[in-house]
Amino acid sequence: MQTEINEPLIEEKKSISFIWILPLIILSVLIWTLYESYSKKGTNVQIIFNSAEGLKEGITPLKYRGLELGKVTKIVIKDLERVEVNILVKKDAADYVAVEGSKFWIKKPTVTLTKISGLDTLISGYEIEVMPKYNKDKDLKSQTKFTGLDSQPNFEYIKDGYYVTLLLRDGNSVNIGMPLFYNSMQVGEIVSKELYENNVYIKAHIYKKYENLVNESSSFILNDAVKVNFGAGGFNLKVSSLYSALVGGIKVKTSDLNAKKITDDKQYLLYTSDDNLEEKVIINIEFLDAEDIGEDTSIMYKGITIGKVTNISLNTNSVNAQAFIYKKYKYLLTNNSRFEINSAEISLDGIKNIGTVFTGKYITLNYKKGEFKTYFKDKKLLNSQINADDLELTLKADSLGSITNKSKIYYKDIEIGKISNISLSKNFNQVIIKIQIYGKYKNIISNNSLFYDMSSKLIDIKNLDLNINYSGINPLLKGAIAVIKDDKQSKLTKKTFKILKSHQEAYKIKKMRNKGFTLKTAFENNFRLEEDMPIYYQNYEIGFINKVDFEEHYSKAELFIYNKYKKYITKHSKFYKKSPVKVDASLNGILFEIGDISSLLYGSISLDNSSKKEINGYQIYDSFDTMKNSTNTINIVFDNIDGIIEQSSKLVYKGINIGKVIDISLSKNQKIVLKVQIDKNYDEFAKQGNKYYLKKSKISLQEVKNLSSTIFAVNIGVVKGKGKKTQVLFNGYDSISDIADSTKGKIFKVESLHATSAGVDSPIYYKNVQIGKINKIDLSSDASKVVLDCLIYNKYTNIIRKNSNFYDISGFKLKFSIFSGTKIETNTFTSFLKGGLMVVTPKEYDKKANGNDKFILKEELMDDWEKISPIIK
């Protein structure tokens, strides 16, 4: 087999393969990218912040006025207190940012009362802001490491702006952004605040349009946006404006609008209040003590602040207060003027200077004409100094109690002296108290004067006898001694007195010194009397109970009556134990009346001479009511007394309570008998001719009367007659109209099978003229009919004849007909509202009717009633 050998195919190979083009392109792109990256590569800066809160690597931008200049690339913890934030700054911005003087801070949302900023960062996240330092005349050195600020710095001032420099020692009251006000209008704001050499320098920017309002004559004062004043005139709150109340501010006062503008090199003091602008006179006041007063304590004259205390310093035995008085009140500073500290005083007599509880104590000036003076001593210090005219006495006591060196001597709650020294006797058995009575009061003291401790006890209970110190809170807290003056005012020859333990003991000794006579009385054992209990007549003490003898059923009391009141004890005199508390309720409110304090604490007896009846022997009753119940009563008989309440229903004459219902009973003939106690003018209200009626409430279209009887008890009214003889039994009327109606006309009885819409006081007409009214509505004796008592006035009784007809015209009548339509009829508007009757007397009228005649009420008025018009003779 022959082997076939093929000739090889020979092809020419190209010099460059296509497959190498793609790598060359990629290599070119990489070289270009590296070149672009290097040529535009920025500068890396490191900033130290206290916190990296809200910052994120690769996200948080660096911005200047909204333009992004770089981005955070890395955040590193520098130490436990700081972080290092690396920022790549764009190359074209690096020459301005990465230089000395640049300031960096973290921009966060800020909300204040004056400004809202950075709210966009709530959505986009926190940003780092930069403030480059630019100086066109000088090249700045490069810098890549910085310390970040805690907050946004102050921007450069507006070119050609108007700025004022203010000086303030305490910068806490002023903040950047705080407004400046001129006449309540904002004219500028604080733009910077710097501390230098213990002073705060504040830069204020004045807005362009208000530059003419601020000049060299201007004064700057911190704004009292909210000013509170509390004093004798009450509470006063003044707010300049809601805006200034919230943000505070600075007031600008300009005295001369034509003055020059303020230059940059001048500094103005920022005053804390308007007071600093007023001229002042410096004075010194020496106080015995300065309890509860200090710097800024007000000095007042007639309720007006005339100055303030500026400094307090201590002397050897006193306190010195440096103060100022406004120059316009300089005339008040005389050698006869006196200063004293005002403070709250609380006692059972009342509360004095209550305003000082809230505002603190203040100093008052008592002005008197004299020569100008700037050094003073307060009233307390002057009183503490012994004067030649003062009276010095010695008091002895078994114990000191609450009395101290600061305790005062009082007469009728007025300070008349003080304690100058306290020591023990030589044998240590007694306390020796030296006192000083001021010269102008020394005539109060005599040989028979009584001194007692006002403060030793608040409550003393001994053998169930209650003794309460009611002299006031001040004596109780600070200790005090009281003086009881001798009525005869004997001479003063002795210098030593004994201090009695209580007012009760001193009072008893004083009473026993009076001349008088004794009176024998009796009393029941349902109440208690005590020895020394005072006796009063018309609020004057006329004696006391000297002795009490208790027996099994009926006891005796011996009364001691002072001679000068002997004329008031007569054969008509009665005595009763006085109730210390009286409560009276009415529509005007609740009257809570307390008698004198002595009767409240110890009880008392009152003398009453209102009775005209002579008595055999004197008696003491347990109460005023019991005494009155024994005499001065009348009986009133009623058919019905709805609303009358025993001990609550009053007897009233012209709005004045003259008595009350003390008993309700039923008579044999089923009438109700009220026993009424008359307290005032018994002889006038127990006379023949007087008429008594129930003051029930009445509510109608015409009037509203006695509304209180719907809430409280029904009272009894009285109409005085002309009788002269005394009478104790009376018939009562249901209302005052019954009394008046008994003289106005005649009653005619009208019967109906059922009640009508007409009620009591509904009118009765004749030819649409009112001739009377319905006086009463009741059932007949057999209850088969309704009986109307119709009162016809005297001048119209002649109209009512035996054949007269009474018609019910109450409300309205509705007539409906297919042919004639609908017709509504009513006689009068009054009868429509409150009902009424119509009387028609026929042309052929009969004899005159009398009270015994009875009429039948007809329901429908005849159609031609208006044509019936007899001439009645």
Side-chain angles (χ1 to χ4, degrees), residues 23-25 34 46 48 75 196 212 303-304 427 446 469 523 529 567 633 648 659 664 682 772 776 779 798 801:
L24 288 174
I25 294 173
L34 289 174
Q46 296 87 35
I48 303 298
I75 300 174
Y196 180 71
N212 64 308
I304 297 174
N427 57 7
S446 68
N469 177 358
F523 65 94
L529 297 179
K567 59 184 177 181
T633 58
S648 295
I664 301 175
Y682 173 79
K776 185 178 180 182
L779 289 172
N798 188 48
R801 299 299 171 130

Side-chain angles (χ1 to χ4, degrees), residues 489-515:
Q489 198 57 24
S490 59
K491 292 183 179 180
L492 177 64
T493 58
K494 63 180 185 179
K495 296 292 184 180
T496 303
F497 295 83
K498 180 182 178 181
I499 296 182
L500 302 172
K501 293 181 180 179
S502 65
H503 173 269
Q504 194 176 20
E505 183 180 351
Y507 192 66
K508 184 174 182 178
I509 293 173
K510 182 186 177 183
K511 288 192 297 184
M512 296 303 295
R513 290 176 178 173
N514 290 305
K515 290 185 178 181

Side-chain angles (χ1 to χ4, degrees), residues 123-153:
I123 301 172
S124 62
Y126 287 5
E127 302 169 354
I128 296 177
E129 287 276 334
V130 61
M131 180 191 289
K133 188 170 183 179
Y134 173 70
N135 191 330
K136 65 180 180 179
D137 299 325
K138 182 180 179 182
D139 292 334
L140 299 175
K141 295 181 179 180
S142 297
Q143 183 177 332
T144 57
K145 293 187 178 182
F146 301 88
T147 299
L149 303 177
D150 294 329
S151 60
Q152 178 179 341

Side-chain angles (χ1 to χ4, degrees), residues 12-17 20:
E12 186 180 352
K13 188 176 181 182
K14 295 180 180 179
S15 59
I16 298 176
S17 175
W20 289 104

Side-chain angles (χ1 to χ4, degrees), residues 156-218:
E156 294 293 330
Y157 302 146
I158 299 172
K159 188 176 181 181
D160 299 327
Y162 186 19
Y163 294 90
V164 178
T165 303
L166 304 178
L167 179 63
L168 181 66
R169 294 191 181 278
D170 181 12
N172 290 331
S173 54
V174 175
N175 295 308
I176 294 174
M178 179 179 284
L180 273 72
F181 294 99
Y182 183 92
N183 285 346
S184 299
M185 293 292 295
Q186 185 172 349
V187 297
E189 64 179 291
I190 302 299
V191 294
S192 71
K193 180 174 72 172
E194 294 181 2
L195 180 64
Y196 180 71
E197 293 183 354
N198 295 325
N199 290 323
V200 179
Y201 290 85
I202 300 166
K203 188 73 74 173
H205 174 227
I206 308 302
Y207 301 148
K208 185 71 176 177
K209 62 179 178 178
Y210 297 121
E211 288 183 359
N212 64 308
L213 299 176
V214 182
N215 55 43
E216 290 183 345
S217 69
S218 298

Side-chain angles (χ1 to χ4, degrees), residues 710-776:
T710 62
I711 303 174
F712 302 105
V714 172
N715 293 326
I716 299 173
V718 56
V719 177
K720 292 177 65 175
K722 298 180 179 180
K724 294 183 179 180
K725 293 183 178 180
T726 300
Q727 181 177 323
V728 294
L729 182 64
F730 297 87
N731 287 321
Y733 293 83
D734 190 61
S735 67
I736 192 171
S737 61
D738 290 346
I739 297 175
D741 294 344
S742 63
T743 60
K744 283 184 178 179
K746 185 181 291 185
I747 298 294
F748 295 93
K749 303 285 186 180
V750 179
E751 295 181 345
S752 175
L753 293 177
H754 53 78
T756 71
S757 299
V760 174
D761 290 334
S762 292
I764 301 173
Y765 298 97
Y766 182 80
K767 292 187 176 181
N768 283 338
V769 176
Q770 185 175 349
I771 62 172
K773 65 176 182 177
I774 298 175
N775 207 45
K776 185 178 180 182

Side-chain angles (χ1 to χ4, degrees), residues 649-787:
S649 294
K650 308 293 183 183
L651 182 63
V652 180
Y653 178 68
K654 292 185 177 181
I656 300 174
N657 293 340
I658 59 172
K660 67 177 179 180
V661 176
I662 60 174
D663 185 64
I664 301 175
S665 60
L666 197 63
S667 65
K668 294 180 180 178
N669 58 353
Q670 303 303 305
K671 297 284 187 179
I672 299 171
V673 181
L674 302 183
K675 188 174 185 179
V676 178
Q677 169 73 56
I678 298 178
D679 300 329
K680 301 176 182 178
N681 302 325
Y682 173 79
D683 292 338
E684 285 190 48
F685 295 101
K687 286 183 178 179
Q688 291 180 348
N690 289 351
K691 299 181 185 298
Y692 296 88
Y693 64 94
L694 300 179
K695 293 175 70 66
K696 294 180 180 179
S697 62
K698 181 179 179 181
I699 303 175
S700 67
L701 291 171
Q702 285 77 28
E703 60 182 344
V704 176
K705 294 175 63 177
N706 303 323
L707 188 60
S708 62
S709 62
T710 62
I711 303 174
F712 302 105
V714 172
N715 293 326
I716 299 173
V718 56
V719 177
K720 292 177 65 175
K722 298 180 179 180
K724 294 183 179 180
K725 293 183 178 180
T726 300
Q727 181 177 323
V728 294
L729 182 64
F730 297 87
N731 287 321
Y733 293 83
D734 190 61
S735 67
I736 192 171
S737 61
D738 290 346
I739 297 175
D741 294 344
S742 63
T743 60
K744 283 184 178 179
K746 185 181 291 185
I747 298 294
F748 295 93
K749 303 285 186 180
V750 179
E751 295 181 345
S752 175
L753 293 177
H754 53 78
T756 71
S757 299
V760 174
D761 290 334
S762 292
I764 301 173
Y765 298 97
Y766 182 80
K767 292 187 176 181
N768 283 338
V769 176
Q770 185 175 349
I771 62 172
K773 65 176 182 177
I774 298 175
N775 207 45
K776 185 178 180 182
I777 300 176
D778 205 350
L779 289 172
S780 61
S781 57
D782 59 359
S784 62
K785 298 175 182 178
V786 176
V787 180

